[in-house]
Amino acid sequence: MKKSKRVILDATHFDLTIKRLAHQLIENHNDFNNTVILGLQPRGIYLADRIKSELLIINNNFKIESGALDITFYRDDFRRREEPLIPNETQLNFIIEDKNVILVDDVLFTGRSIRAGLDAMLAFGRPRKVELLVLINRRYERQLPIQAKYIGKNVHSVSSERVKVSWKHTDGEDKVILYTPKDE
Amino acid sequence: MSKLSVNHLLGIKYLNKQDIELIFETANHFKNVINRPIKKVPSLRDITIANLFFENSTRTKLSFELAEKRLSADTINFASSSSSVTKGETLIDTVNNILSMKVDMVVMRHPNPGAAYFLSQHVNAKIVNAGDGAHEHPTQALLDGFSIIEKHGELKGKNIVIVGDVLHSRVALSNIFLLQKMGANVKVCGPMTLIPKYITSLGVEVFTDLKTALNWCDVAMMLRIQLERQDIKYFPSLREYSMLYGLDKQLLDSLKKKITIMHPGPINRGVEITSDVADSKQSIILNQVENGVAVRMAVLYLLAGKID
């Protein structure tokens, strides 16, 4: 089976999208004094970092708390995989009790990672409100009733397709590619 | 590599270096979890674990139980003193009866060496050896290794001496296997009557003088004299033993460098180690206990991943 690939976001649009998401956050959260940003491990943390630095570029006076949340021990597919997943580090040095939490992940697809993320987050307190921010929202394949409030780009894709987000500082280039398997 | 090469944890002998590193890495994450406000994760919520203790235990039993609960597993406990074993039931019958209640994993301590291995050949559950006679006590060695890494950064090249009743100690044997696999130098120290004859075949040298041994090492593991396993006299008196092989503050302070003191517990204060040494800053005995829960969580998590 061969794969065809299509760039959904190139470097320019990638950057514009991040900027737009940052501005949307400011619209709703003003100065972030009671808002924290939580990136989901492993790849949501890159987006969380980028959003945070974008926010600081817009206003250097923002004091934004952010952390990385690992969801491995909270997943619902443990023992349904060939190998147990190796966890990543959770870096969360504050309690989220009564805070507004912005959960950040790169791609929203089935919704199961976010479900696990919500569970993992609750081990650090009861937030006042939780919102979800994703770079790519893959529509039509949701398996749980979960929706993002802030969306970089909607993609209409089927489950056999794959979306890959690359980051400048880890993969060399900012871009999002959709891989579609095609029959020979 | 995110998978153990074994289906049961029967002894350190059956693990390879990658397995041990994987357990340490996973334990690190669990140590993080058990220091959170909510110390529990739902990973093993559909797993049932039976703790079968055919021999007395405080630390290991509590530590396993806590590890299981922190992982959200269901647990059942069994102590031989209050069971049908006293009525003459065999080990396999006892275990098979427990397994017909749909148990996925068995944590077992047994006075007979090889009991865990025997069980793994005959029953359909993941077995974790929590000590089999004077043979192995793998989770203790894992938590000891983990604690040394936490204190000293790595095991490779570190000098570790195991002092005391090596002959009757499953902790000693498991630790020798583990430390050697991880590239540490291990020697033992004690009266010759308490050093097993096979020890040189493991490539382990013997010190008979405690001070020489302590001056050589970075870490000293003090072992308890296991009077309950000694059917004959191995040394004239406990007083003489503690004079020659007991560690007190004066001896500790006379050494060339600050060594780390470990003890698998239970401690016989005043015999192998005095109170002021056990409670000193150089002792990491209570860290060992804390790490025990994290390491056991890692072992249970990784083995549970292999249940069909």
Side-chain angles (χ1 to χ4, degrees), chain A residues 63-128:
Chain A
K63 295 254 181 303
I64 306 166
E65 282 192 296
S66 67
L69 193 61
D70 184 66
I71 60 164
T72 312
F73 299 134
Y74 299 86
R75 297 181 66 99
D76 59 5
D77 58 355
F78 180 62
R79 295 205 298 127
R80 289 165 186 82
R81 291 172 167 264
E82 274 291 289
E83 298 192 358
L85 289 162
I86 284 301
N88 291 292
E89 206 179 344
T90 288
Q91 292 166 328
L92 225 172
N93 308 320
F94 45 86
I95 293 293
I96 55 169
E97 192 72 31
D98 220 25
K99 296 243 165 78
N100 297 313
V101 175
I102 300 160
L103 274 188
V104 178
D105 205 0
D106 57 350
V107 181
L108 173 60
F109 181 34
T110 61
R112 286 180 189 264
S113 303
I114 305 300
R115 204 272 322 145
L118 289 168
D119 232 12
M121 181 191 69
L122 293 178
F124 295 90
R126 179 181 185 272
R128 198 164 77 84

Side-chain angles (χ1 to χ4, degrees), chain B residues 46-231:
Chain B
D46 51 354
I47 305 266
T48 308
I49 304 177
N51 298 314
L52 312 184
F53 281 75
F54 293 91
E55 201 182 78
N56 293 337
S57 161
T58 320
R59 238 164 315 272
T60 309
K61 189 161 181 258
L62 287 178
S63 182
F64 266 112
E65 233 185 293
L66 203 53
E68 290 151 6
K69 292 190 165 146
R70 300 271 195 248
L71 289 166
S72 305
D74 290 320
T75 61
I76 49 174
N77 292 307
F78 164 97
S80 61
S81 52
S82 57
S83 75
S84 287
V85 175
T86 48
K87 299 178 191 165
E89 195 177 39
T90 64
L91 174 59
I92 288 200
D93 280 341
T94 306
V95 173
N96 271 331
N97 273 286
I98 292 168
L99 291 185
S100 25
M101 303 175 201
K102 308 287 176 223
V103 168
D104 306 292
M105 296 176 89
V106 172
V107 174
M108 184 173 76
R109 166 164 292 187
H110 200 280
N112 293 342
Y117 175 80
F118 174 75
L119 208 58
S120 72
Q121 302 295 306
H122 290 94
V123 304
N124 183 25
K126 303 286 173 233
I127 312 291
V128 179
N129 181 4
D132 55 341
H135 179 222
E136 280 227 41
H137 189 355
T139 54
Q140 178 71 41
L142 287 163
L143 75 90
D144 287 341
F146 185 82
S147 304
I148 297 175
I149 293 178
E150 199 176 59
K151 175 94 184 174
H152 290 271
E154 59 177 347
L155 284 169
K156 199 167 188 290
K158 292 283 173 292
N159 295 338
I160 290 136
V161 67
I162 304 175
V163 184
D165 189 354
V166 179
L167 183 63
H168 298 101
S169 174
R170 51 190 169 217
V171 177
L173 189 60
S174 286
N175 259 309
I176 290 170
F177 286 138
L178 183 130
L179 295 168
Q180 287 184 336
K181 282 178 199 227
M182 300 306 285
N185 311 311
V186 198
K187 298 190 184 185
V188 296
C189 173
M192 285 314 282
T193 49
L194 289 177
I195 304 291
K197 290 201 184 80
Y198 60 76
I199 201 89
T200 44
S201 68
L202 296 174
V204 175
E205 283 177 44
V206 181
F207 285 109
T208 48
D209 177 56
L210 182 61
K211 187 161 183 182
T212 322
L214 295 178
N215 267 324
W216 168 80
C217 74
D218 302 301
V219 178
M221 284 184 192
M222 309 303 293
L223 299 179
R224 181 176 63 93
I225 295 293
Q226 305 202 18
L227 286 174
E228 75 276 16
R229 289 186 209 281
Q230 300 183 0
D231 38 10

Side-chain angles (χ1 to χ4, degrees), chain A residues 2-20:
Chain A
K2 273 187 172 174
K3 278 181 177 172
S4 74
K5 61 177 190 177
R6 180 161 67 87
V7 176
I8 323 178
L9 275 183
D10 59 17
T12 321
H13 285 91
F14 196 107
D15 198 44
L16 280 172
T17 306
I18 301 268
K19 286 199 167 76
R20 172 172 56 78

